[in-house]
Amino acid sequence: MIDRVHFEGFKSLHDVTLDLGRFTVLVGPNGCGKSSVLEGIHLLSQTGLIRKSATRRTQGILGAFGGRRAPWRLASSPPPATIKLAARQAGGDELCVSIELPGTASDSDRRAVFEVSLNGPEGSLVTNVPSKEGQRGLDLLRVRRFVPVVYLHLDANEMTRTSIPKDEKPRMDADGAGLASTLAWMKGAAEDELAEITSGLATIVPGVRRIRTLRESVRRKRTEQIDIDGQPLWRPVEEALLGDRFEIEFDDKRVVPADLLSEGTVLALGLLTKLREPNRARLVLLDDIDRGLHIEAQAKLVGVLRDLLALDPELQIVCTTHSPYLLDRFEPAEVRVLALDEHRHTRACALTEHPDFETWKFGTQTGELWAALGHAWVSARRGAGGDK
């Protein structure tokens, strides 16, 4: 379990340290850095991951910090600048990625210098990336312990589309694509897990009886190359493929196709599926856990997640919410409050660190406590989000 994360120079996270538990919820106004915390943890987890593509074999850390996530775009200030991401495992190693951005914004991403360090009971390790020695260093088992992390950006539209399985053992993507194929595979190879998913969904959405999967023909367009007199030409080709779709049967015998289900039902199903799939991640990061859910469904979802945490001692969940009703299902010690200071830098504190917490905590639910205390005290508190 990751019990502490630290960020410097990363987006609005100028200098932020957060302690994490098995189940941690981040709250605060829009734009205060909640999603940045999740993104930073996920990027750090890519350090020991080897990504394979059709054209090249790329180290996860270099592949992660590319394109829209090029380091110079993520830095809190213009170059020269330094970005630091760190995570500590309870009783184990602390992994730190430091990125130096010399020069100017126009060329710093091409000359960014990555340094990866490990410090813990098994000793210390420092390696530079990119280099052949650094790439070999990233394969160490100690670094790979930080890999099993998934950052979910569930999209109900993607989840309800007919999906074509990419692999023999399908896995739902972070945006929910491939949900139907994952459920279809579970129906034949992981029936117990599918039954638990159905049971959990029925707790959140009353009346759910069964999740049904069906095959459906899908027509897909692609281009292929042909040679005419030695000259390569490209032509469009339409092919028919077999895909998977799903629907839900309710207790009253109604059968509702995926695309007619409510967004909250689809999102809850996707989350439960990801938490039950084989070789699942140990740390699940989830933005807006309450999205699309009625107040009662929010409470039931938290209950189901707590049941999963009790069954799987290695599972850890970090999520964000704007719902005081959902917070009522959390203990104050599980809540981290984020806010921006006068420099638009993120500050973060545990809800229990409020100076009047001991006075307010009696007879007050967590959501009510957060609503009453607000978040202004976090940015005003000296050292908030920095020194620990």
Side-chain angles (χ1 to χ4, degrees):
M1 183 186 84
I2 293 177
D3 68 352
R4 177 173 291 186
V5 292
H6 177 73
F7 308 96
E8 293 181 27
F10 179 70
K11 303 175 79 171
S12 68
L13 309 179
H14 179 70
D15 184 5
V16 172
T17 300
L18 279 172
D19 291 327
L20 304 177
R22 292 282 314 285
F23 202 0
T24 306
V25 59
L26 312 180
V27 298
N30 291 330
C32 70
K34 301 187 298 297
S35 298
S36 296
V37 170
L38 302 188
E39 182 181 10
I41 296 172
H42 185 247
L43 286 172
L44 188 62
S45 75
Q46 307 299 294
T47 305
L49 182 66
I50 302 295
R51 292 171 180 261
K52 293 182 179 180
S53 68
T55 57
R56 60 181 179 175
R57 191 167 180 261
T58 306
Q59 289 290 338
I61 187 174
L62 300 180
F65 287 94
R68 293 185 302 168
R69 292 185 177 86
W72 65 269
R73 301 191 73 220
L74 302 176
S76 299
S77 57
T82 301
I83 298 174
K84 288 186 179 180
L85 310 173
R88 185 184 71 183
Q89 290 184 325
D93 286 319
E94 180 176 55
L95 173 65
C96 179
V97 172
S98 179
I99 309 171
E100 296 291 337
L101 303 176
T104 64
S106 62
D107 65 1
S108 62
D109 60 321
R110 294 194 297 271
R111 297 192 291 123
V113 178
F114 291 77
E115 181 182 273
V116 179
S117 64
L118 269 174
N119 294 283
E122 301 175 46
S124 298
L125 166 72
V126 178
T127 183
N128 291 320
V129 182
S131 70
K132 291 183 179 179
E133 293 76 12
Q135 289 176 358
R136 283 196 290 268
L138 291 182
D139 286 338
L140 289 176
L141 176 62
R142 290 170 60 191
V143 183
R144 288 181 175 274
R145 292 170 186 162
F146 292 84
V147 168
V149 176
V150 62
Y151 183 12
L152 296 180
H153 308 267
L154 296 179
D155 181 338
N157 290 326
E158 286 290 341
M159 298 162 75
T160 56
R161 288 197 176 106
T162 300
S163 60
I164 300 170
K166 304 174 185 177
D167 304 301
E168 183 179 343
K169 186 185 293 185
R171 291 170 62 88
M172 190 185 80
D173 293 340
D175 64 356
L179 173 59
S181 293
T182 303
L183 293 171
W185 178 85
M186 285 183 166
K187 187 175 181 179
E191 293 181 356
D192 290 344
E193 297 294 347
L194 182 59
E196 292 295 336
I197 293 170
T198 305
S199 176
L201 185 63
T203 299
I204 300 166
V205 184
V208 169
R209 180 184 179 189
R210 185 161 56 123
I211 300 169
R212 299 169 48 169
T213 59
L214 307 93
R215 304 306 301 274
E216 183 175 75
S217 178
V218 178
R219 303 199 70 81
R220 186 172 67 178
K221 292 182 179 180
R222 62 179 179 85
T223 57
E224 69 174 12
Q225 180 179 328
I226 60 173
D227 290 327
I228 298 179
D229 296 331
Q231 297 295 320
L233 295 176
W234 294 90
R235 67 175 183 179
V237 176
E238 186 175 76
E239 58 185 357
L241 300 172
L242 276 179
D244 301 295
R245 64 182 179 89
F246 72 91
E247 55 192 23
I248 292 181
E249 180 183 338
F250 289 84
D251 288 338
D252 60 4
K253 305 298 183 181
R254 286 183 304 122
V255 176
V256 181
D259 60 338
L260 296 182
L261 293 167
S262 71
E263 180 186 34
T265 298
V266 174
L267 295 175
L269 174 58
L271 175 57
L272 294 174
T273 301
K274 199 65 182 175
L275 289 170
R276 286 286 185 179
E277 69 181 7
N279 302 318
R280 49 191 169 267
R282 300 293 84 202
L283 173 56
V284 177
L285 309 172
L286 182 64
D287 247 337
D288 293 328
I289 191 173
D290 54 285
R291 181 158 58 100
L293 293 176
H294 183 267
I295 295 171
E296 293 181 2
Q298 293 176 22
K300 291 175 181 177
L301 174 61
V302 174
V304 170
L305 296 181
R306 289 199 186 281
D307 289 342
L308 286 170
L309 287 165
L311 291 172
D312 187 349
E314 295 186 357
L315 178 62
Q316 182 180 14
I317 300 173
V318 181
C319 60
T320 72
T321 187
H322 294 96
S323 171
Y325 306 104
L326 184 136
L327 277 190
D328 285 341
R329 299 296 170 171
F330 284 84
E331 295 297 324
E334 296 174 317
V335 181
R336 305 291 179 265
V337 185
L338 280 64
L340 295 177
D341 64 15
E342 66 275 16
H343 304 294
R344 296 197 61 78
H345 294 159
T346 297
R347 299 290 181 177
C349 290
L351 183 59
T352 54
E353 294 181 81
H354 190 282
D356 297 325
F357 173 74
E358 293 299 323
T359 302
W360 280 82
K361 69 178 183 179
F362 297 104
T364 306
Q365 291 186 302
T366 305
E368 294 175 324
L369 187 61
W370 173 53
L373 298 179
H375 58 266
W377 63 276
V378 176
S379 54
R381 188 172 181 270
R382 184 178 180 181
D387 299 333
K388 280 275 185 181

